[in-house]
Amino acid sequence: MKKEDCFYLGKIVRKYSFKGELLAKLDTDEPEMYVGMESVFVDYNPNLVPFFFESSQLHKSTLLRFKFEDIDTEEDAEDLIGAALYLPLDLLPTLNDDKFYYHEVIGFTAVDKNFGPIGTITGIKDNTSQAIFEIDRNGKQVLIPLIDDFIKKLDRKAKTIFLEAPDGLIDLYL
């Protein structure tokens, strides 16, 4: 399995017990959807390796407490701390209306209500406090915060996202 065929589910953050249990911070608004999974891919020594769950449950509502099969000691568990968890893209729930997954809109055309066509979305920076659309306009990068109020419409068929950025924001980059 390749990373580009998967979505990031979360990260193993710490050990929970001396019997190999771990805690993972899930990158989702609905962590309960991922309790009871059969397996997950772990980014381990730079490959995605399938690990099978022996048990899993929510811990303090946002963390997933789990035990992998064949991980029975503190030392085995320690080796996995910091590893990212992935699942195949086909396991993502379908979103309706103007909701979207970040990977889904890469390659979409961004159109602003006042400015008109801006360019092509090349990425979404989500490692900052505010996620940001990265848009290529003829070789120049335009950055627009990913704020619900700025997103007016998503047209999946036409691969277009309609925005209403604050006056002058786009002009700052051009």
Side-chain angles (χ1 to χ4, degrees), residues 30-144:
E30 299 176 13
E32 62 278 356
M33 288 179 52
Y34 299 98
V35 173
M37 292 183 296
E38 189 175 298
S39 64
V40 69
F41 289 99
V42 177
D43 190 1
Y44 187 75
N45 292 336
N47 300 306
L48 289 185
V49 179
F51 278 77
F52 293 87
F53 289 100
E54 191 172 291
S55 64
S56 67
Q57 64 189 50
L58 286 182
H59 178 74
K60 296 185 179 177
S61 77
T62 59
L63 296 173
L64 183 68
R65 175 182 161 192
F66 62 93
K67 175 149 179 9
F68 284 138
E69 291 179 1
D70 301 323
I71 302 294
D72 298 315
T73 66
E74 263 189 287
E75 293 77 25
D76 291 343
E78 181 82 37
D79 198 34
L80 294 172
I81 293 174
L85 305 176
Y86 291 88
L87 286 174
L89 284 172
D90 59 1
L91 294 181
L92 274 174
T94 304
L95 296 179
N96 299 320
D97 304 321
D98 291 338
K99 294 183 180 183
F100 57 88
Y101 295 110
Y102 291 173
H103 73 274
E104 182 181 8
V105 296
I106 305 299
F108 276 37
T109 300
V111 177
D112 183 70
K113 179 180 176 185
N114 300 313
F115 186 86
I118 305 167
T120 303
I121 298 173
T122 57
I124 294 180
K125 282 186 182 193
D126 64 347
N127 57 351
T128 59
S129 59
Q130 174 64 56
I132 299 171
F133 285 114
E134 297 175 317
I135 303 169
D136 177 58
R137 179 175 175 81
N138 303 322
K140 292 188 178 185
Q141 187 179 52
V142 177
L143 302 175
I144 298 178

